[in-house]
Amino acid sequence: MLLNILEGKLPMQTKGKMQVENAQSIPLTTYLKPKKLNKKRWLVTVAIILGIILVFCLTLFLLYRKPATLVYTQAIAGKDAFIKAQEYLLAQDFENTQSSLNQALQNFTEARDVFKKFLWLQHVPWIGPQITAVQNLLLAGISTGQSIQSINDLAISIITPLQKDDTISLNTLSDEQTETLLKNIFEAKPVLEESKRSIDEAVRFVEKIPARGLLKKIATAAGPLKEKVPQLQSGIEHAINASQIIPTIAGYPGQKTYLFLLQNNTEMRPTGGFIGTYGILKVKNGDINYFQTDNIYNLDKPSEAWLDIEPPWPLTRYNAVQNWYLRDSNWAPHFPEVADKAEWFYHQERGQEENIDGVIAVTPTFIQSLLTLTGDIKVDGLTFTSTNLVDTLQYQVEQGFLRQGIDESSRKEIIGTLSEKILEQVLSLPKSKWSDLWAVFNNDLQEKQILLYIKDQYVQEYISKENWGGEIIEATGDYLAIIDANLASLKTDPVVKRTIDYSIQQDNKYYIATVSIKFNHEGSLDWKTTRYRTYTRVYVPQGSTLLSSSGSMMDCKINEGGSVETSDEFGKTSFGTFICIEPGEEKTLTFKYKLPDTVGQQIENEGYNLLVQKQPGAAAHQLNVAILINGLKKPREASNGSPILTKNSLTVSSLLNKDFTISFDKSD
């Protein structure tokens, strides 16, 4: 790429050369014509200037061809060594990772030192941006290598002691080994922070690379770096947070006791699903000392004799619930509040465990994910797989137990037995599967099939940073969250497909938003499926004003006239209403509202930001966003989907399997 510059391949050279030849071929008689004299002198001047440029470029070519070739060769070698280092690191071959990193850093450093000879060209038009780009590419490569080197050193200190035995598993680790492993992870924060400082520096170098006007080879080299370095930066930030969260949750340095909630997301509730099973989990230094689950009604039913708590009114009106118990404690969409409420109910209903350190809630979707790693598991003559888990388990606890003569209070004991076997299999996974296990955990945390709440404020702050806590997030800009609550609809949610359409447009000085939720009931009546009855709440920026709505229902017999409740909570305004969808039907709820002035001012002064939060436990609903604002710029961030930008609109479609964000700068 540098050779192209120094070999004199500039757009003006051919033209200049032609002009010199033309100037020499002009007849002498033309000098006698006054009108031609100025033109002749102008051509001679241009020819002289271009001749000087040509000589200058030839001189550069002779002086810098060799160093330019060396820079190019070393940069390519450094890139190749980096790729090898990445492959070795993923394979946990830390020795070869170190060797490849050393080679890459040596290549980039030598290229940087030689390239210093070219820095004086930075202010030369057209050539300058190429020099700036190459300089920052080399510097970013060095900083990235230093960052990865720190991570590799850390991995060696943590993983190497466990590498002697390829068959080692979490189950076979001694208490001392497990404690040491968690200790090393917890104390890794300073090293990870040092690594992050290096990658932060690399990001700054990448940001200095010009966005336009680069030679194709330079632009091609810069593209992957611009994409990968910020990803590595984000990954290290996640690693810092995880290093502080995981050991503490796993009971290092002291035992932790958790209230465990199984939220059945085939019967949606605000933070994941109906709580049909609860349990107590005790862990210390990564070992599960105690884990016992039970049917939620075995705790709720006896407490009817002394507990009299008024439930949220939609539970009474649409679900015929007269008193509030642990099974309905997850009515709020904000999991920290639900966790507090669930623990409060547990104590009020005289649960035996006095000291609770936190609450862990999971859905059957997470258990399905674990079965993809453990393989099939047999319990009481039933075979559970990652594909049949929900249906098989649901049938057993709803229908099958009757035919087997099992008492109703004991019908969910199979869940405890299954959980124990899955845990045993997970803890027996060989070391080679640990990265897969982490990937499953991390994915289900991001998709909110696992929710965590820890009373330790320090740890909870990290959980919030990672968005592992099922919180309604404080957003600066536009915001949307749609929360369904299945009320007396059996296990109908899996056959009700949702499509969410959101749009925003400017109306004079105001910004008007419209959100529509289309419910398509694809099921039929049977023992687990019925008409779908949901109390739906739409959370929007606080201060939004409802202008109109449609689709609300009084009940399943009256298709119109339902009221919309407007309230403010968790720093948001919410619109809540009821809708009922029969099997084979399709219905739509629509809300049109004016966004608050604060959002409008931000759009005018800074740009537009939208956060759409996924409901915990929900399936990946279809999300369509249309931003109808004049003069939009290309989005600087879109977490999912491919935005289509025109002069007056931006549209994007995405599956809402995780929180969705999009933002773009204010138009000029």
Side-chain angles (χ1 to χ4, degrees):
M1 49 193 169
L2 294 171
L3 292 176
N4 290 340
I5 303 170
L6 300 178
E7 287 172 355
K9 294 181 180 177
L10 300 177
M12 63 180 73
Q13 290 166 351
T14 303
K15 181 180 178 181
K17 192 172 182 180
M18 289 176 63
Q19 287 174 333
V20 173
E21 292 172 355
N22 290 339
Q24 291 173 346
S25 64
I26 297 174
L28 182 62
T29 55
T30 57
Y31 288 103
L32 301 176
K33 298 178 181 180
K35 290 184 179 181
K36 297 289 185 179
L37 184 59
N38 290 338
K39 181 178 180 181
K40 175 67 176 179
R41 289 177 178 175
W42 179 81
L43 288 172
V44 171
T45 301
V46 171
I48 292 172
I49 292 172
L50 293 177
I52 292 172
I53 292 174
L54 180 60
V55 172
F56 176 73
C57 291
L58 288 172
T59 303
L60 285 179
F61 172 73
L62 293 173
L63 290 176
Y64 291 115
R65 180 178 183 179
K66 186 174 181 179
T69 302
L70 180 60
V71 170
Y72 180 77
T73 302
Q74 292 286 21
I76 293 299
K79 181 205 70 172
D80 292 341
F82 253 143
I83 292 173
K84 287 183 179 179
Q86 183 181 20
E87 293 173 352
Y88 287 134
L89 185 60
L90 291 174
Q92 298 183 23
D93 184 346
F94 304 119
E95 183 177 345
N96 279 319
T97 299
Q98 188 66 50
S99 175
S100 295
L101 280 174
N102 289 339
Q103 184 61 55
L105 287 171
Q106 180 181 342
N107 292 137
F108 281 126
T109 301
E110 290 181 7
R112 178 202 61 187
D113 292 343
V114 174
F115 192 73
K116 290 178 181 178
K117 296 180 179 181
F118 299 94
L119 295 182
W120 66 276
L121 293 168
Q122 280 183 316
H123 302 293
V124 177
W126 189 77
I127 297 178
Q130 320 302 324
I131 300 297
T132 298
V134 174
Q135 180 192 25
N136 284 290
L137 277 169
L138 293 173
L139 293 174
I142 292 171
S143 294
T144 302
Q146 292 169 342
S147 176
I148 297 176
Q149 200 167 46
S150 297
I151 294 173
N152 188 61
D153 291 341
L154 179 62
I156 291 172
S157 67
I158 294 176
I159 302 295
T160 299
L162 306 176
Q163 283 190 310
K164 296 179 181 178
D165 184 1
D166 290 336
T167 63
I168 198 169
S169 68
L170 295 173
N171 246 351
T172 59
L173 287 177
S174 67
D175 292 344
E176 183 180 356
Q177 285 177 312
T178 306
E179 184 176 359
T180 300
L181 178 63
L182 293 173
K183 179 176 181 289
N184 288 341
I185 294 174
F186 188 75
E187 293 178 352
K189 184 181 177 184
V191 177
L192 290 170
E193 288 178 333
E194 179 62 32
S195 177
K196 187 172 182 298
R197 280 190 284 272
S198 295
I199 204 66
D200 288 345
E201 187 176 46
V203 168
R204 288 192 290 271
F205 288 132
V206 168
E207 290 173 345
K208 292 179 182 179
I209 298 173
R212 298 181 179 86
L214 297 181
L215 288 169
K216 185 177 181 180
K217 286 185 178 180
I218 299 178
T220 300
L225 200 64
K226 287 183 176 181
E227 177 186 357
K228 298 297 182 183
V229 171
Q231 289 177 358
L232 181 57
Q233 182 188 44
S234 176
I236 295 173
E237 179 66 32
H238 289 316
I240 292 172
N241 294 338
S243 73
Q244 303 304 291
I245 297 172
I246 293 172
T248 304
I249 293 175
Y252 173 83
Q255 178 176 282
K256 298 295 182 184
T257 300
Y258 301 108
L259 176 62
F260 172 81
L261 305 175
L262 179 59
Q263 302 187 106
N264 189 347
N265 54 355
T266 66
E267 186 178 349
M268 283 300 301
R269 289 295 173 87
T271 61
F274 180 73
I275 304 172
T277 300
Y278 81 101
I280 294 295
L281 172 67
K282 296 182 181 183
V283 292
K284 184 176 182 181
N285 290 334
D287 289 331
I288 298 175
N289 295 336
Y290 178 87
F291 183 42
Q292 185 172 347
T293 64
D294 195 7
N295 187 338
I296 194 75
Y297 287 96
N298 291 340
L299 190 66
D300 283 355
K301 282 291 186 181
S303 63
E304 293 176 3
W306 64 82
L307 202 58
D308 185 14
I309 308 296
E310 183 179 354
W313 71 265
L315 285 171
T316 300
R317 180 169 180 177
Y318 300 112
N319 209 27
V321 171
Q322 303 304 318
N323 290 294
W324 204 5
Y325 300 103
L326 178 57
R327 61 181 179 269
D328 292 322
S329 60
N330 57 352
W331 181 254
H334 185 66
F335 188 67
E337 178 169 308
V338 167
D340 282 340
K341 182 68 70 176
E343 184 189 350
W344 183 85
F345 272 114
Y346 174 79
H347 291 309
Q348 293 297 312
E349 296 180 14
R350 301 176 185 175
Q352 295 181 0
E353 197 62 43
E354 292 184 6
N355 299 314
I356 302 291
D357 295 303
V359 180
I360 298 175
V362 305
T363 69
T365 300
F366 168 60
I367 301 174
Q368 286 178 301
S369 299
L370 292 179
L371 285 171
T372 64
L373 298 176
T374 65
D376 300 352
I377 291 181
K378 291 185 177 182
V379 178
D380 296 341
L382 299 174
T383 300
F384 294 93
T385 71
S386 61
T387 55
N388 76 2
L389 170 75
V390 173
D391 289 340
T392 303
L393 190 59
Q394 204 158 260
Y395 179 80
Q396 176 61 24
V397 300
E398 297 288 344
Q399 300 287 317
F401 77 96
L402 293 171
R403 298 180 181 181
Q404 296 173 9
I406 298 174
D407 184 80
E408 184 173 0
S409 63
S410 303
R411 64 189 174 97
K412 293 189 178 181
E413 286 183 359
I414 191 173
I415 296 176
T417 305
L418 177 63
S419 299
E420 290 175 6
K421 288 201 172 186
I422 291 175
L423 278 174
E424 182 181 347
Q425 291 296 317
V426 167
L427 295 175
S428 298
L429 289 172
K431 180 169 57 67
S432 60
K433 291 286 187 179
W434 289 0
S435 59
D436 296 333
L437 179 59
W438 168 246
V440 164
F441 269 101
N442 188 51
N443 183 71
D444 281 359
L445 281 163
Q446 295 298 326
E447 295 191 358
K448 303 182 187 180
Q449 306 298 344
I450 310 171
L451 300 179
L452 304 174
Y453 175 75
I454 308 300
K455 289 184 179 179
D456 185 320
Q457 184 178 354
Y458 176 75
V459 176
Q460 186 61 27
E461 286 177 0
Y462 279 104
I463 289 173
S464 296
K465 286 180 183 178
E466 287 297 314
N467 196 22
W468 291 355
E471 300 173 63
I472 295 291
I473 297 176
E474 181 180 346
T476 56
D478 201 0
Y479 176 90
L480 178 66
I482 296 169
I483 308 296
D484 278 314
N486 175 329
L487 300 178
S489 303
L490 301 179
K491 317 302 181 193
T492 303
D493 276 275
V495 296
V496 179
K497 308 302 180 186
R498 278 87 153 176
T499 301
I500 302 166
D501 292 301
Y502 177 76
S503 66
I504 173 176
Q505 59 186 350
Q506 190 169 5
D507 184 4
N508 295 322
K509 62 179 181 178
Y510 300 114
Y511 287 88
I512 307 300
T514 304
V515 58
S516 295
I517 309 104
K518 181 170 67 178
F519 300 86
N520 184 8
H521 195 320
E522 298 179 349
S524 57
L525 296 176
D526 56 35
W527 64 269
K528 65 177 180 178
T529 306
T530 183
R531 61 176 58 90
Y532 190 65
R533 300 158 46 90
T534 176
Y535 188 80
T536 301
R537 283 172 286 178
V538 175
Y539 285 81
V540 299
Q542 190 166 38
S544 296
T545 304
L546 183 65
L547 301 177
S548 63
S549 67
S550 62
S552 300
M553 299 174 63
M554 289 285 290
D555 55 42
C556 289
K557 296 180 181 180
I558 304 176
N559 287 332
E560 56 186 27
S563 61
V564 175
E565 180 188 32
T566 299
S567 59
D568 290 313
E569 56 182 354
F570 311 116
K572 303 289 184 289
T573 292
S574 70
F575 309 126
T577 194
F578 177 79
I579 188 171
C580 179
I581 306 98
E582 299 290 337
E585 276 191 340
E586 182 179 287
K587 289 186 178 179
T588 302
L589 271 178
T590 300
F591 303 91
K592 184 177 181 180
Y593 52 95
K594 181 177 78 68
L595 289 166
D597 293 341
T598 52
V599 174
Q601 290 167 3
Q602 184 190 57
I603 295 172
E604 297 294 334
N605 298 327
E606 303 172 25
Y608 180 72
N609 302 292
L610 171 65
L611 166 63
V612 182
Q613 280 202 269
K614 174 187 183 289
Q615 180 177 0
H621 303 321
Q622 179 65 41
L623 172 68
N624 303 314
V625 175
I627 304 167
L628 310 174
I629 301 174
N630 292 337
L632 298 181
K633 283 190 173 182
K634 183 179 180 180
R636 50 183 151 84
E637 179 185 359
S639 61
N640 199 5
S642 300
I644 300 174
L645 179 66
T646 63
K647 182 178 180 181
N648 298 321
S649 70
L650 181 147
T651 57
V652 59
S653 293
S654 171
L655 285 178
L656 193 60
N657 61 330
K658 303 175 183 178
D659 288 353
F660 171 87
T661 59
I662 190 168
S663 60
F664 52 82
D665 293 325
K666 169 184 174 292
S667 58
D668 296 327

